[in-house]
Amino acid sequence: MTSVQTKLYSDDASLVVVLIDVNPYFWATAASGVGGGVNHSSATIPFAKFLNSMIAFLNSLTLLNQSNQVVLIATGINSCGYIYDSGTKGSEGSGKVMEVSSEILRRLEEFVDRDKKLGKLQGMAVGSNVSSLVSGSLSLALCYIQRVFRSGAIHPQPRILCLQASPDGPEQYVAIMNAIFSAQRSMVPIDSCVVGMQNSAFLQQASYITGGVYLKPPQLDGLFEYLASVFATDLQSRNFLHLPKPAGVDFRASCFCHKKTIDMGYVCSVCLSIFCKHHKKCSTCGSEFNHVPQNPNSASNLKS
Amino acid sequence: MPQVRIVAKNFMDMVAALPAMKLDKLYESTFICEAVLRYLPPLAKKYALQMLFIESPVTAKSMEEWVLPEALSKHRVATDRLLQLRVFLEIGDRKKEASYKMNPTFQRSMQKYLVQGGTLPREPMPLSVTNRLPTLEDLEAYANKQWECFLLQLINSSQAERLTNFSTSMIKVFQRGILSSRENEAPRLTENGFQFLLMDTNAQLWYIIREYITSSEDRGVDPTDLISFLLELSFHTLGEAYSMNSLTDVQSKAIKDLADLGLVKLQQGRKESWFIPTKLVTNLSVSLSDSSSRKQGFVMVETNFRIYAYSTLKLHSEILKLFSRIEYQLPNLIVGAITKESLYAAFENGITAEQIISFLKQNAHPRVAERVPAVPENVTDQIRLWETDRNRIEMILSHLYEDFPSKEVFEAASDYARELGGLLWEDSKKMRLIVNGELHQQMRDFLRRPK
């Protein structure tokens, strides 16, 4: 930890890694309004509008401080990739907002195409509830930040903003938790803004553990306003402001065997792996469980 | 160095001091809005962004709810700043409830920026016209040389080998705050002057620019034009060539001066002439707290109070001379020693120990900069000790009370003074006491009170 603490941070310069969800299944339903009902009209937002707000938000971040840096990572369903990095070129291209947004759009398009092909290759089952690869993009973001940490003594203060739309994928539980803990260790807050239908238990935990802000905007029409007033705040100013507090965090874990989100389960006493059913042997560390509980449902939190 | 902040503030104060009409006119340029926005304290920046798309006024009360109660003072500073710079306008209400609204001109420019981006009034010239442009390294070397030459001339007008084109009167203007020139006496650096030399380049630059702008009115130039031109320049692309024909009269006059400072490099082609912005000018809009423009250090301090400075620059030896005794100078090395006498001379001139230490730390040679601490502890401690040596006596303005009519009155008075926390000394035998001067009025009222 010492290596991180002795780092010199310049005042309010920040490095924001923005992860955007480009899950085509979700955005297709959002566009067609399959969600139905009158209630959903303000609960969903067309992808074009979402992109507009996001690009304006990126621009405003680079506007606030010359040394602010923005990195955009797209989260697809099969892969994730860097879309835009304000630090590499045109860093003084303040007059090139138009070019930046058209570049983002072009690269996003390429990315979605590539992502689609990958999906066909693997012959994935297609359903409407396909989740995005958040764990992958979180890891990419953390790798990028680690590189910045190593680049020199003076660098902008990093944080991650996760714009998620599609529902959580319980099969990514372990990967996401690992990413969260590594973010916590390097003191990188993960902010999350959920624009989908349901709250995301993963991101709630991510923000809670890393000290970021979790927000599910009730009115998606004003998405930019939410982004600008909550997520554009640099880490130093956050100490002085009223920011959205988590109402309740869903701490439920996914089991390692069937990747289901569970309320109650079995925990390996050696490696703390979680299972929804009793096993003879831990699949993670190989410890043998010789004691068989009589009635698994009567006890609250059984350890095997 | 606290001084740096003061300089930065002063420049924005200058912008804030412009008449409202002119300021609003300035805000029509997206670049000026951008530069102003970047200068705001972080909290104010955030407010400005938050209000960007809100057109109706927001009451001061609801704005106060944005911050935590303990940070209210920060909130005040931020909103005051926004009001001073007319980014926010105050709208008085009949019911005496103040509310704020964003300056519509500023708001429009910023919204336009976010959606379309800004456009500079001039495009870089094509390579076909300019042929070969200097490389970025050349440009930086040029800028540094020009700037150092200027500084040397500033502190020591007679010794500069290559004079810049500044007229003596201009140099006088710059020297105003830095040198004190009493008649029949060699000019001496003032306290501010020393502090100026110890600042980093960006802060020094702003100081000079500020002087340049304040003196512009005497030369018949509107400061508003200069400010907007400078801020605009800072958004030009480093190392690109821009045609001189695109400048107005005022601007082309100013750019010659800026070239002398190393902010731009002027070049003459066959038909046209152009200017190339250097790092100094593109860094102008960077906030001063940012240290990315820091130069490589050159000073090594040893535990035996010896200073080795690997530098060929005369300026550096001049600066080191301020607080150390130069022992010998080789072509690329200056060797000096920090002595009690040299430091006392520095303290005499108003330099503080902290400034010297931070100068040594900031300019530490890369070899020693890796070490923690970069300057040996015994040296920094000793510098601080020598400084406190000078401050052994504390002066408190106070009053002596004597000739009390009775012991009771004396005791009541001394108790009263003790209660107020202002009793400095008492002599009960002779019935005398000395009380902090600030409490004199209260003491007098107490003593006059009928018993």
Side-chain angles (χ1 to χ4, degrees), chain A residues 9-132:
Chain A
Y9 291 116
S10 31
D11 226 11
D12 66 327
S14 11
L15 160 69
V16 188
V17 186
V18 183
L19 317 177
I20 60 160
D21 194 347
V22 294
N23 188 336
Y25 299 107
F26 172 83
W27 291 113
T29 49
S32 61
V34 170
V38 191
N39 288 343
H40 280 285
S41 58
S42 70
T44 56
I45 178 172
F47 190 54
K49 220 173 156 201
F50 168 74
L51 270 189
N52 272 343
S53 309
M54 202 232 9
I55 291 176
F57 171 67
L58 296 186
N59 286 336
S60 51
L61 280 178
T62 42
L63 166 77
L64 284 181
N65 191 323
Q66 180 146 353
S67 25
N68 274 7
Q69 195 189 341
V70 181
V71 177
L72 186 64
I73 296 176
T75 317
I77 43 172
N78 302 305
S79 63
C80 26
Y82 293 109
I83 298 298
Y84 172 70
D85 182 349
S86 70
T88 47
K89 54 173 176 170
S91 51
E92 51 247 76
S94 41
K96 294 167 192 151
V97 171
M98 294 293 267
E99 287 165 38
V100 167
S101 45
S102 60
E103 192 198 324
I104 290 179
L105 291 182
R106 187 176 50 76
R107 302 204 45 180
L108 263 181
E109 228 166 276
E110 285 171 16
F111 172 79
V112 172
D113 260 2
R114 226 179 319 127
D115 197 44
K116 202 167 82 190
K117 273 180 205 140
L118 270 176
K120 271 182 191 151
L121 234 73
Q122 291 166 4
M124 276 217 354
V126 172
S128 60
N129 255 7
V130 180
S131 58
S132 307

Side-chain angles (χ1 to χ4, degrees), chain B residues 202-403:
Chain B
N202 218 0
Q204 288 172 336
L205 195 60
W206 270 118
Y207 179 86
I208 292 297
I209 295 282
R210 215 184 69 214
E211 292 289 305
Y212 182 69
I213 292 173
T214 33
S215 68
S216 65
E217 248 166 316
D218 309 338
R219 282 173 283 134
V221 178
D222 188 355
T224 323
D225 292 343
L226 271 182
I227 292 176
S228 69
F229 180 53
L230 271 166
L231 291 180
E232 196 180 281
L233 263 186
S234 67
F235 286 98
H236 285 53
T237 314
L238 176 73
E240 293 275 7
Y242 296 92
S243 169
M244 292 280 273
N245 293 340
S246 60
L247 301 175
T248 63
D249 281 351
V250 178
Q251 291 174 341
S252 48
K253 220 177 267 167
I255 206 143
K256 290 208 180 86
D257 292 335
L258 298 181
D260 278 335
L261 293 177
L263 291 179
V264 289
K265 187 176 167 71
L266 298 181
Q267 275 192 334
Q268 188 86 41
R270 239 171 298 153
K271 274 189 203 147
E272 286 186 85
S273 53
W274 56 82
F275 65 92
I276 308 163
T278 67
K279 210 171 174 178
L280 286 180
V281 76
T282 50
N283 274 344
L284 268 185
S285 64
V286 183
S287 65
L288 287 174
S289 50
D290 180 65
S291 36
S292 57
S293 57
R294 186 166 294 165
K295 288 174 292 184
Q296 214 184 30
F298 58 96
V299 184
M300 273 192 216
V301 184
E302 289 195 333
T303 48
N304 58 4
F305 292 84
R306 227 168 224 204
I307 301 182
Y308 296 93
Y310 287 90
S311 169
T312 50
L313 295 172
K314 204 155 188 189
L315 181 69
H316 288 155
S317 81
E318 290 288 322
I319 292 176
L320 290 177
K321 231 182 247 171
L322 297 179
F323 57 85
S324 64
R325 191 185 70 219
I326 302 295
E327 294 187 334
Y328 37 90
Q329 268 181 301
L330 302 176
N332 69 338
L333 176 70
I334 306 158
V335 181
I338 298 178
T339 64
K340 195 172 173 183
E341 289 70 35
S342 71
L343 277 177
Y344 271 27
F347 297 146
E348 200 78 24
N349 281 317
I351 309 182
T352 65
E354 281 315 310
Q355 280 172 335
I356 296 174
I357 293 170
S358 75
F359 172 82
L360 291 175
K361 276 187 184 157
Q362 276 182 10
N363 290 293
H365 193 278
R367 283 277 182 84
V368 287
E370 293 161 10
R371 258 183 256 160
V372 179
V375 181
E377 251 165 5
N378 71 325
V379 177
T380 53
D381 285 350
Q382 189 62 64
I383 293 178
R384 288 200 187 98
L385 280 177
W386 275 330
E387 188 188 39
T388 46
D389 265 0
R390 287 169 41 89
N391 305 330
R392 263 188 245 165
I393 299 172
E394 194 185 354
M395 304 262 245
I396 301 173
L397 201 68
S398 47
H399 284 268
L400 169 72
Y401 302 84
E402 55 185 354
D403 294 339

